[in-house]
Amino acid sequence: MAALIAENFRFLSLFFKSKDVMIFNGLVALGTVGSEELFSVVAFHCPCSPARNYIYGLAAIGVPALALFLIGVILNNHTWNVVAECHKRGTKNFSTAATFLLFGSIMGRAAVAPITWSVISLLRGEAYICALSEFVRPSSLDKFPSEFGAEVLARFPCKDVPANLTKFRDEVTRRLRYESQLFGWLLIGIVAVLVFLTKCLKHCCSPLSYRQEAYWAQYRSNEDKLFRRTAEVHSRILAAKNVKQFFGFVALDKEEKELVQEFPVEGVQPSPQWNAITGVYIYRENKGFPLYSRLHKWAKGVEGNGPTPEGHEMLFLAS
């Protein structure tokens, strides 16, 4: 099973260029596997009752997957960039292709954990056996006693059956586990093919060379790290300045005193500047020169968000 999980996430990792993103999604996948194992051991208890097994088994697979998907969407920065973009500028500057790629990126990344959960659930087979045991046709079982029906079949996952039905229980369990694992393998294959096709389509439609895309990803990663680090220092110095103005002094440690002395902060950036660097960014070129982010575009003093006649447009999928 460990080899299977490794292969699954090797395919899924094709979505991501950044090593940091790959590590993060690997941790998400491992956390999902651990959570599913814990859920199966501690929380999963098939009711072994007709009409309840089906609902409970499907809920055990589908509800956690849905919750993980929504959490993935919420934790994705692109989601809130889309919200900010729609609130501030609308979607008039998005082409159909860019919109498709944007939402595909958000959905694809959010799907890592739920797909992992679904695959592991199907490979284990417990939820599938619980859900479908009562629907096995007694006529498909050789010499199955005619006096027993769906009510007895529904108790098969709990092994609470008469002794003379033990061999039938083992056969039903084996048959359903085979089906469940087959669906798990098919899901892995479908995801692998979709990731491969998405990767090919992205490179075929990209106006950039592979090296320039790699440089773009590195630039965005470095810009984000430096922006976050600088914003933390800037906000700390500004807070120290305001606290000192209120109390007459501010209690700083040695490192913070050095920061205050080295980086004087006079004020805060006005809202128009924050709005200019916030939102979804589509790759643009200005007179043949690339603009790699909204911050880059603002720093160059380029106005507007629409593509220039000689410009190109491509959604940035890396974080």
Side-chain angles (χ1 to χ4, degrees):
M1 182 172 290
L4 170 64
I5 295 171
E7 287 298 320
N8 183 26
F9 295 120
R10 187 182 305 169
F11 287 122
L12 292 176
S13 66
L14 291 175
F15 268 123
F16 311 103
K17 285 180 176 293
S18 169
K19 292 182 179 179
D20 293 337
V21 174
M22 291 176 63
I23 293 173
F24 173 78
N25 283 277
L27 294 175
V28 169
L30 291 176
T32 305
V33 172
S35 299
E36 202 282 336
E37 292 290 335
L38 181 63
F39 174 81
S40 297
V41 173
V42 177
F44 183 83
H45 299 288
C46 185
C48 294
S49 174
R52 295 181 181 177
N53 284 13
Y54 184 70
I55 297 175
Y56 185 83
L58 293 185
I61 298 175
V63 173
L66 176 61
L68 290 170
F69 178 78
L70 294 177
I71 291 173
V73 172
I74 292 172
L75 296 180
N76 194 325
N77 290 334
H78 287 320
T79 302
W80 307 113
N81 282 334
V82 170
V83 173
E85 186 73 22
C86 293
H87 176 67
K88 297 294 183 182
R89 307 177 186 90
T91 59
K92 60 182 179 180
N93 296 311
F94 288 176
S95 68
T96 302
T99 302
F100 175 79
L101 287 173
L102 173 62
F103 283 97
S105 172
I106 295 174
M107 299 299 111
R109 294 183 183 184
V112 172
I115 288 176
T116 303
W117 179 279
S118 300
V119 167
I120 299 302
S121 296
L122 290 172
L123 292 179
R124 287 180 60 89
E126 294 179 356
Y128 187 89
I129 293 172
C130 176
L132 297 180
S133 62
E134 65 181 284
F135 297 104
V136 174
R137 290 184 296 107
S139 59
S140 66
L141 302 173
D142 187 31
K143 297 180 180 180
F144 186 81
S146 59
E147 64 269 22
F148 298 112
E151 185 175 351
V152 172
L153 290 170
R155 299 208 307 267
F156 277 11
C158 297
K159 302 180 181 180
D160 181 20
V161 295
N164 63 328
L165 296 181
T166 301
K167 65 175 184 178
F168 298 107
R169 183 200 68 202
D170 294 341
E171 181 180 349
V172 168
T173 301
R174 183 169 55 252
R175 183 187 301 180
L176 292 178
R177 180 169 284 112
Y178 153 76
E179 293 178 1
S180 180
Q181 292 182 347
L182 177 62
F183 287 138
W185 280 104
L186 288 176
L187 181 58
I188 293 174
I190 291 171
V191 170
V193 171
L194 288 177
V195 171
F196 173 74
L197 293 177
T198 302
K199 185 83 170 178
C200 293
L201 181 64
K202 177 177 179 290
H203 282 290
C204 289
C205 297
S206 173
L208 306 181
S209 67
Y210 177 79
R211 291 186 180 275
Q212 189 175 5
E213 277 195 55
Y215 177 84
W216 187 6
Q218 292 173 348
Y219 170 84
R220 288 294 296 267
S221 177
N222 289 325
E223 181 189 86
D224 184 65
K225 291 177 182 177
L226 291 173
F227 188 91
R228 290 177 181 272
R229 192 186 310 164
T230 305
E232 180 183 359
V233 173
H234 186 281
S235 61
R236 186 182 305 179
I237 296 173
L238 181 62
K241 180 179 179 180
N242 293 335
V243 170
K244 182 178 181 180
Q245 185 174 353
F246 183 82
F247 286 108
F249 73 96
V250 59
L252 301 174
D253 58 27
K254 182 178 179 181
E255 180 183 357
E256 290 171 334
K257 289 180 180 178
E258 293 175 353
L259 288 175
V260 171
Q261 293 175 357
E262 185 176 358
F263 305 110
V265 173
E266 300 299 332
V268 296
Q269 286 67 33
S271 294
Q273 289 187 8
W274 286 103
N275 293 336
I277 66 170
T278 302
V280 177
Y281 182 71
I282 307 297
Y283 175 80
R284 309 291 186 192
E285 291 184 359
N286 183 39
K287 298 180 180 179
F289 291 94
L291 300 173
Y292 290 124
S293 69
R294 284 198 170 276
L295 182 61
H296 188 191
K297 180 180 176 181
W298 172 85
K300 291 297 184 180
V302 179
E303 299 292 338
N305 192 47
T308 58
E310 71 277 9
H312 297 291
E313 175 181 282
M314 187 189 74
L315 186 67
F316 181 61
L317 297 180
S319 63

